[in-house]
Amino acid sequence: MKKILLVVVVMFLIISLTGLSNSSDDRDVIFQTSTINALFKGLYDGNVTYKELKKYGDFGLGTFNSLDGEMIALNGKFYRIKADGKVYPVDDSMKTPFATVTFFEPDRTILIKNAMSFKKLQNHLDSLLPSNNIFYSIKIEGAFKYIKFRSVPRQEKTYLPLTDALKKETVFELNEIKGTAVGFRMPGYIKGLNVPGYHLHFITNDRKMGGHLLDCMIQEVRVEIDSSSGFYMNLPESAEFRKANFEKDNKFNLDKTEN
Ligand SMILES: [Zn+2]
């Protein structure tokens, strides 16, 4: 009898350690909390803490509750970039309304030694990728001739939709800078859930500045790519999410805010 009880207790411990319903055993899965359309609706308060998020990845991007900064995760470290473009630490107790992470284990490395615009870089990578229909986690590290990125100011309730909130974004431009861009290339069919195409956040080598990448001219970079066929999405448990109407086409919003 005692033995049986012990087994039950051990099993319970294993189950409770896995946290959100999916186990994070499969390191090749892209994990996402909430949807990009929820952000468009102004749903800026999530229930997932950074402590929880870290169980699903050491690499990725997202934001914080009240839209209080851009998030970038790289080599297991999570950074918060506020509207001043500066980098701040992320506390485990902070929460996110939208984030995409994975355990970054690159399958492929591409060295680029000639200057290229962001558009040309995307076309070049597209020509090398085996399929447009799977997920890619992408890390671009090296020297940038030019880079333009943005961050967002903390929002106060009642929250405005993302397109309106972004009217107060702060945009930064740097020349001749070393740093890393972190993010994903997602298939077109992901529209509504995440950002189709390339979505990257940037951080400087000294880890002092960064943001959501808007444009760049690369100088000499190493591109690492981790392809993935697994995608796991966790929906917010808020009343706002359950009440929101997501039926309207958000293509216009996506083009305007993320691309
Ligand atoms: Zn972003």
Side-chain angles (χ1 to χ4, degrees):
M1 188 64 186
K2 260 188 184 165
K3 233 180 203 171
I4 292 169
L5 188 67
L6 186 68
V7 169
V8 170
V9 168
V10 169
M11 278 181 67
F12 176 76
L13 278 175
I14 291 167
I15 291 163
S16 59
L17 281 172
T18 58
L20 298 171
S21 51
N22 177 46
S23 123
S24 50
D25 290 350
D26 190 349
R27 295 171 62 88
D28 215 22
V29 164
I30 290 180
F31 173 85
Q32 155 177 346
T33 184
S34 194
T35 69
I36 194 77
N37 272 8
L39 275 196
F40 284 125
K41 291 276 174 196
L43 304 186
Y44 302 144
D45 287 327
N47 56 320
V48 174
T49 62
Y50 271 90
K51 186 180 179 177
E52 190 71 22
L53 189 68
K54 285 174 182 173
K55 292 180 189 169
Y56 295 88
D58 56 9
F59 175 99
L61 51 75
T63 184
F64 298 84
N65 276 13
S66 305
L67 206 66
D68 198 3
E70 306 275 2
M71 183 275 279
I72 179 166
L74 173 60
N75 301 329
K77 289 206 174 88
F78 285 65
Y79 305 93
R80 176 182 179 210
I81 298 143
K82 297 213 277 189
D84 58 6
K86 291 181 183 163
V87 177
Y88 296 83
V90 176
D91 194 274
D92 272 355
S93 64
M94 287 175 175
K95 291 179 178 175
T96 177
F98 179 80
T100 310
V101 295
T102 191
F103 289 100
F104 191 67
E105 285 154 4
D107 314 305
R108 184 165 182 185
T109 299
I110 299 158
L111 297 172
I112 301 176
K113 297 195 170 177
N114 48 317
M116 232 183 245
S117 69
F118 189 31
K119 187 76 210 148
K120 214 174 158 196
L121 172 68
Q122 292 178 51
N123 291 338
H124 180 60
L125 294 178
D126 277 354
S127 73
L128 299 173
L129 297 173
S131 168
N132 285 332
N133 300 334
I134 61 171
F135 302 93
Y136 300 99
S137 307
I138 294 172
K139 178 169 144 185
I140 304 169
E141 189 174 7
F144 294 75
K145 277 176 96 71
Y146 164 80
I147 194 148
K148 183 179 180 182
F149 51 86
R150 70 117 196 271
S151 190
V152 281
R154 178 189 170 87
Q155 301 296 300
E156 303 299 336
K157 283 189 170 174
T158 307
Y159 293 144
L160 296 171
L162 188 62
T163 39
D164 293 321
L166 285 179
K167 285 175 186 161
K168 291 194 174 159
E169 69 182 6
T170 40
V171 175
F172 304 89
E173 289 172 286
L174 297 173
N175 292 302
E176 310 297 339
I177 190 86
K178 286 187 175 163
T180 306
V182 159
F184 302 91
R185 186 205 183 280
M186 298 238 169
Y189 60 73
I190 208 75
K191 184 167 78 87
L193 305 181
N194 206 304
V195 180
Y198 292 84
H199 180 193
L200 298 159
H201 286 187
F202 176 79
I203 190 163
T204 55
N205 259 7
D206 61 11
R207 305 293 187 251
K208 284 189 173 158
M209 279 196 89
H212 170 105
L213 196 152
L214 294 171
D215 196 13
C216 69
M217 174 72 77
I218 59 161
Q219 172 77 59
E220 185 172 349
V221 296
R222 188 176 72 229
V223 182
E224 289 174 278
I225 298 172
D226 182 4
S227 57
S228 175
S229 297
F231 181 72
Y232 173 57
M233 189 166 73
N234 173 61
L235 295 177
E237 287 166 7
S238 65
E240 288 89 346
F241 185 83
R242 292 184 179 185
K243 274 189 290 188
N245 178 3
F246 295 117
E247 301 308 315
K248 223 177 113 196
D249 184 12
N250 277 293
K251 185 182 186 313
F252 171 73
N253 289 341
L254 260 179
D255 286 347
K256 206 170 165 190
T257 60
E258 303 297 330
N259 298 330

